[in-house]
Amino acid sequence: MPRAVTRSRPTGLTIGKLSQETGVNIETIRYYERIGLMPAPPRSQGRQRLYEDLHRRRLAFIRRSRALGFSLNDTRDLLGLARGHDLTCAEVKALTEQHIADIRGKIRDLRRLDRVLSELAGQCRGSTVPDCPILDALGKGSEAARNARLP
Amino acid sequence: MPRAVTRSRPTGLTIGKLSQETGVNIETIRYYERIGLMPAPPRSQGRQRLYEDLHRRRLAFIRRSRALGFSLNDTRDLLGLARGHDLTCAEVKALTEQHIADIRGKIRDLRRLDRVLSELAGQCRGSTVPDCPILDALGKGSEAARNARLP
DNA sequence: CTTGAACCTGTAGGAGCTACAGGAATTAGT
DNA sequence: ACTAATTCCTGTAGCTCCTACAGGTTCAAG
């Protein structure tokens, strides 16, 4: 089945409506325009932005890309805005796989932190005596502290 | 056993030496001083900072706290610099447990991203044909994209 | 005494927004 | 038709946690 041509009725959304419909903050929409992620929309006579379906679809794309953790620069690439050409499917896949690798790296780091911190918290009675195993671990070059790495 | 009193011989480290010893960037050390995490050290006649053991221990504490993912503000609290009093052991434990909860939340989010992205990447043949499942998922309000949440 | 390395201050940038301030435009209510 | 409330506009500054200059001073070695 060929891709349906979405014919856009002239919606003329104000920025507030677009914000409501997409769940993207007004200031964020203007920010995306400033950095060239969103195209500058036509304006009303009083200089207010009036968005069309085109913009709504673009913004929804950006929002989903961000929701999947892609950076704004990645998103720019995915939109085909970088260097003026669309990515091939292979390039998109490569970008995604790199992103997955980054995510897995972060998960590993966070799990290590979780282990170390849980261990420390478990040693802590939480009393009011001055001696605290957590502060001790931070203050001395303890085994526990050395098992963690900078993020 | 009572806490040993660490008697500091007057080391007089320059900032470069302190940086080397602790693995903390020179600019970062000065930054910590600016924001009040590190105390201002005495200076040489030519206004150069000269650090003592006190400072080295403080900086090592900060570095370990950061390595465990505590924010600078948390670190300030852990150092007993906030509101002018030390945290009790119970407060330290509470802070740590909140931090652990945050970390687990992040892990959950990242694992969801991993699942969704891996699924998408798996559907992608990586060919050069224009139709890409990943871009489709971003472009349309797909199931996959809805399963992810903003970070 | 002259290099060259290390230090100094102050400022700007980066990621990705968010939050104003101070003003203009639109809309709703009367 | 008039006013009041709401929305919108631009521009700038703030957030976190550093990092990277620029343009100058001081120190240590030769």
Side-chain angles (χ1 to χ4, degrees):
Chain A
M1 203 157 65
R3 206 176 287 229
V5 173
T6 315
R7 196 172 303 280
S8 12
R9 45 187 164 87
T11 40
L13 290 170
T14 65
I15 200 171
K17 295 279 168 54
L18 182 65
S19 169
Q20 273 186 307
E21 287 202 13
T22 58
V24 178
N25 196 311
I26 289 180
E27 321 257 30
T28 306
I29 296 173
R30 286 196 283 249
Y31 171 68
Y32 288 164
E33 184 180 328
R34 264 210 313 287
I35 66 173
L37 264 188
M38 285 289 288
R43 302 285 186 119
S44 76
Q45 293 189 327
R47 299 180 167 282
Q48 304 204 347
R49 291 168 178 85
L50 291 178
Y51 292 97
E52 315 275 335
D53 263 4
L54 161 76
H55 301 96
R56 180 173 32 204
R57 273 182 275 120
R58 167 74 66 97
L59 188 54
F61 185 105
I62 297 170
R63 196 183 59 70
R64 290 190 204 108
S65 173
R66 297 287 301 127
L68 288 173
F70 287 107
S71 71
L72 290 181
N73 273 337
D74 285 351
T75 303
R76 197 187 307 275
D77 287 355
L78 291 173
L79 280 166
L81 293 176
R83 297 171 306 275
H85 70 80
D86 287 7
L87 295 187
T88 66
C89 185
E91 286 170 323
V92 170
K93 186 173 187 183
L95 183 58
T96 303
E97 279 170 349
Q98 180 55 59
H99 184 38
I100 292 172
D102 290 349
I103 286 172
R104 290 187 181 161
K106 279 186 195 157
I107 291 173
R108 269 193 298 279
D109 290 348
L110 290 173
R111 304 233 291 179
R112 187 168 42 228
L113 291 188
D114 186 358
R115 272 201 308 279
V116 175
L117 288 165
S118 298
E119 161 79 17
L120 284 176
Q123 286 167 20
C124 187
R125 293 297 110 233
S127 66
T128 44
V129 298
D131 215 34
C132 176
I134 298 174
L135 291 181
D136 280 359
L138 291 171
K140 301 175 194 154
S142 80
E143 188 64 28
R146 257 196 299 274
N147 284 338
R149 293 205 210 116
L150 281 164
Chain B
M1 198 157 66
R3 210 176 285 233
V5 174
T6 316
R7 197 170 303 279
S8 14
R9 45 189 165 89
T11 41
L13 291 171
T14 63
I15 199 170
K17 296 279 169 52
L18 182 65
S19 169
Q20 272 186 306
E21 288 204 11
T22 58
V24 178
N25 194 311
I26 290 181
E27 320 258 31
T28 305
I29 297 173
R30 287 196 282 248
Y31 171 69
Y32 288 164
E33 182 180 329
R34 264 211 313 287
I35 65 172
L37 263 187
M38 285 289 287
R43 302 284 186 121
S44 76
Q45 292 189 328
R47 299 180 168 283
Q48 305 205 346
R49 291 168 177 84
L50 291 178
Y51 293 96
E52 314 276 335
D53 264 3
L54 160 76
H55 301 97
R56 180 171 34 204
R57 274 182 273 118
R58 167 74 66 98
L59 188 54
F61 185 104
I62 296 171
R63 196 183 60 71
R64 289 190 203 108
S65 173
R66 298 285 302 126
L68 288 173
F70 287 108
S71 71
L72 290 180
N73 272 337
D74 285 350
T75 303
R76 197 187 306 273
D77 287 356
L78 291 172
L79 280 166
L81 293 177
R83 298 171 306 274
H85 70 78
D86 287 7
L87 294 187
T88 65
C89 186
E91 287 169 322
V92 170
K93 186 174 188 184
L95 182 58
T96 302
E97 279 171 348
Q98 179 57 58
H99 184 37
I100 292 172
D102 291 349
I103 286 172
R104 290 185 181 164
K106 279 185 193 156
I107 291 174
R108 267 193 301 278
D109 290 347
L110 290 173
R111 304 232 296 176
R112 188 168 41 227
L113 292 188
D114 187 358
R115 271 202 308 279
V116 174
L117 289 165
S118 298
E119 161 79 15
L120 285 176
Q123 285 165 20
C124 187
R125 292 296 110 232
S127 67
T128 44
V129 298
D131 215 38
C132 177
I134 298 174
L135 291 182
D136 280 358
L138 291 172
K140 302 177 194 152
S142 81
E143 189 62 28
R146 258 196 298 274
N147 283 338
R149 294 204 211 117
L150 283 162

